[in-house]
Amino acid sequence: MQTEHERGAAPAPPPRGRRGRRTVLVASALVVVAAVAVVGALGLGGDGAEDGSSAPPRSGSTVPVTRATLTERTTVDGQLGYGTEIPLPVKSTGTVTWLPAEGRTVERGGTLLRVDDRPVVLLYGTLPMYRDLGPTAGTRQDAGTEGDAQDKGDQGRTDDTSGAPAPSGSPTPGGAGTGAGETGGTLRGMDVLQFESNLAALGYTGFTVDEKFTDLTARAVKRWQTSLGLPRTGTVGVGDVVYSAGKVRIGHAGVRLGSAVTEDVLTYTGTSRKVVVNASAAEDSWAVRGAAVTVGLPDGTSVKGEVASVGKKATAPEEGGGDGGSGAPTVPVTITIKDQKAVGRLESAPVTVEYVGRERADVLTVPVAALVALAEGGHGLETVDGRFVAVKTGLFADGRVEVSGSAVREGMKVRIPE
């Protein structure tokens, strides 16, 4: 009788403990592989990132390291307008009988206001009117009845006191101002030259534009006075004209019709719109005369501007203001706009001013999103083969960042983590 062993019975299965140990070993190996992958992704591999060791590539888009110029731009609030209103230096005395409308533009030869029903005329210049201009006591005031008759027949008369009359003949050749009209004490000075330049620009010629007020100058003045409806005296009173650097825009009136002339009878501004920014006195290094800026308008468009002036006196915020008086001191920065047409019809509006702060030229850059935080501290970049290289960051601007380091080079592909 055969035993079970002799009949070829299957051997007994191995003890369960041996299979269990094999299963545990396989599972442990998988855990170790997963742990290594996690360590590589987090940059925990010690010096492995520097010696070229790599982990399996991960998903995500790749971008190249590029060389470019990064520019930091800052935006501040500003106010569009015509600038601060300045009192007109009116020297006339008497009663105000006519005032222009606010916002009106007055050019050379135009009437600013009327005092005792006499026009006060705008002329261009920087030297204030400080004395009467006319023939002196020793100067012959009349060139004879024939000269006056000729003056009355000259062109240049106009009924509109705000317009420039037509030219009245050709200028006298050089030396024409040195005739009989210069006998005695002739009035001289830079104010004479300034006035004669305006008179000639308005079309009243026939004299030499120089520093001498001659009889020929007086003749031209008489023709000008006729066009203004004034007596033909040939003398310009100290209150008859007001000088400015150019055409002006009328501001508000400080008096009413029928009142006496005062120092603030009428204010004015320039005719070009500009922007005023109250810049922080601690952060106004950008505000340098001639610096280029970009002005953002309320409709979303922008125009180019230029810093024209910077205030030298810092002003602390007023108590009780919107910020409770806790803001930093500010200085006024005036910005001019060359292309006035680009501003449209806006006369006053809140705007933004963008200026260039810091700038880094010809540096290596990557998108900010490509930066990863390394476990050992600082930032790094992930290469396409899964390596992590440490980098030093510099200027952040326009969604990019300056990077540097021994392992970073132009054109190198780096991954943007998902």
Side-chain angles (χ1 to χ4, degrees):
M1 182 175 180
Q2 293 181 334
T3 64
E4 292 181 359
H5 180 72
E6 294 174 334
R7 290 196 296 267
R16 291 188 179 183
R18 186 179 301 172
R19 178 183 296 177
R21 284 195 298 273
R22 187 161 53 243
T23 303
V24 170
L25 289 174
V26 173
S28 299
L30 292 176
V31 171
V32 171
V33 171
V36 170
V38 171
V39 169
L42 295 178
L44 300 176
D47 296 331
E50 301 296 336
D51 61 12
S53 61
S54 61
R58 300 189 301 120
S59 61
S61 60
T62 60
V63 293
V65 176
T66 59
R67 188 172 295 278
T69 297
L70 290 183
T71 302
E72 180 185 63
R73 301 180 184 276
T74 304
T75 300
V76 294
D77 294 329
Q79 181 65 37
L80 177 71
Y82 289 92
T84 304
E85 294 185 2
I86 304 172
L88 275 167
V90 177
K91 298 185 182 299
S92 295
T93 58
T95 301
V96 177
T97 53
W98 178 82
L99 288 168
E102 184 173 352
R104 178 183 177 184
T105 297
V106 181
E107 301 182 359
R108 173 163 37 202
T111 300
L112 294 167
L113 73 161
R114 296 182 75 90
V115 178
D116 291 346
D117 204 28
R118 292 172 57 93
V120 178
V121 181
L122 176 70
L123 297 180
Y124 295 169
T126 58
L127 186 63
M129 189 74 171
Y130 64 92
R131 61 176 177 174
D132 293 347
L133 299 179
T136 61
T139 302
R140 188 173 59 187
Q141 297 190 19
D142 291 322
T145 56
E146 180 180 354
D148 275 345
Q150 180 181 359
D151 290 345
K152 293 179 181 179
D154 283 341
Q155 297 178 357
R157 179 166 184 169
T158 176
D159 293 330
D160 182 5
T161 59
S162 64
S168 57
S170 303
T172 303
T178 59
E182 283 199 10
T183 60
T186 301
L187 192 67
R188 301 169 183 262
M190 291 301 296
D191 56 337
V192 175
L193 174 62
Q194 179 174 269
F195 173 76
E196 288 186 343
S197 298
N198 279 273
L199 199 60
L202 291 172
Y204 298 96
T205 55
F207 58 93
T208 300
V209 177
D210 54 19
E211 297 180 18
K212 296 173 289 188
F213 197 107
T214 67
D215 180 68
L216 295 176
T217 306
R219 288 187 185 182
V221 170
K222 290 179 181 180
R223 295 194 299 272
W224 177 55
Q225 289 172 330
T226 298
S227 71
L228 296 173
L230 296 173
R232 293 165 48 84
T233 63
T235 298
V236 184
V238 68
D240 291 343
V241 303
V242 170
Y243 286 104
S244 77
K247 58 184 178 180
V248 301
R249 179 180 182 273
I250 299 299
H252 71 277
V255 300
R256 295 182 178 181
L257 290 180
S259 301
V261 176
T262 61
E263 292 184 355
D264 60 346
V265 60
L266 199 61
T267 62
Y268 76 100
T269 64
T271 58
S272 297
R273 286 158 293 183
K274 58 191 70 175
V275 174
V276 175
V277 173
N278 290 322
S280 170
E283 301 176 358
D284 64 348
S285 59
W286 62 273
V288 179
R289 186 174 181 179
V293 299
T294 301
V295 178
L297 301 176
D299 61 0
T301 61
S302 60
V303 296
K304 294 181 180 179
E306 182 178 293
V307 176
S309 64
V310 182
K312 296 182 179 180
K313 182 179 180 181
T315 303
E318 296 182 1
E319 295 184 1
D323 58 0
S326 60
T330 61
V331 293
V333 178
T334 302
I335 297 167
T336 57
I337 300 173
K338 185 176 181 180
D339 187 2
Q340 290 286 304
K341 292 183 179 179
V343 184
R345 297 183 178 180
L346 284 176
E347 293 190 352
S348 178
V351 296
T352 59
V353 175
E354 183 183 78
Y355 63 87
V356 174
R358 294 181 297 162
E359 187 173 83
R360 293 282 292 165
D362 196 30
V363 295
L364 296 177
T365 70
V366 296
V368 175
L371 289 179
V372 294
L374 300 179
E376 61 266 30
H379 294 89
L381 300 173
E382 182 185 0
T383 64
V384 292
D385 57 5
R387 293 183 302 115
F388 285 83
V389 295
V391 296
K392 181 180 179 180
T393 59
L395 180 64
F396 287 75
D398 299 327
R400 300 187 70 85
V401 58
E402 173 191 357
V403 293
S404 60
S406 59
V408 184
R409 67 183 185 278
E410 183 179 0
M412 184 177 79
K413 294 293 185 68
V414 296
R415 192 180 302 280
I416 297 181
E418 290 186 342

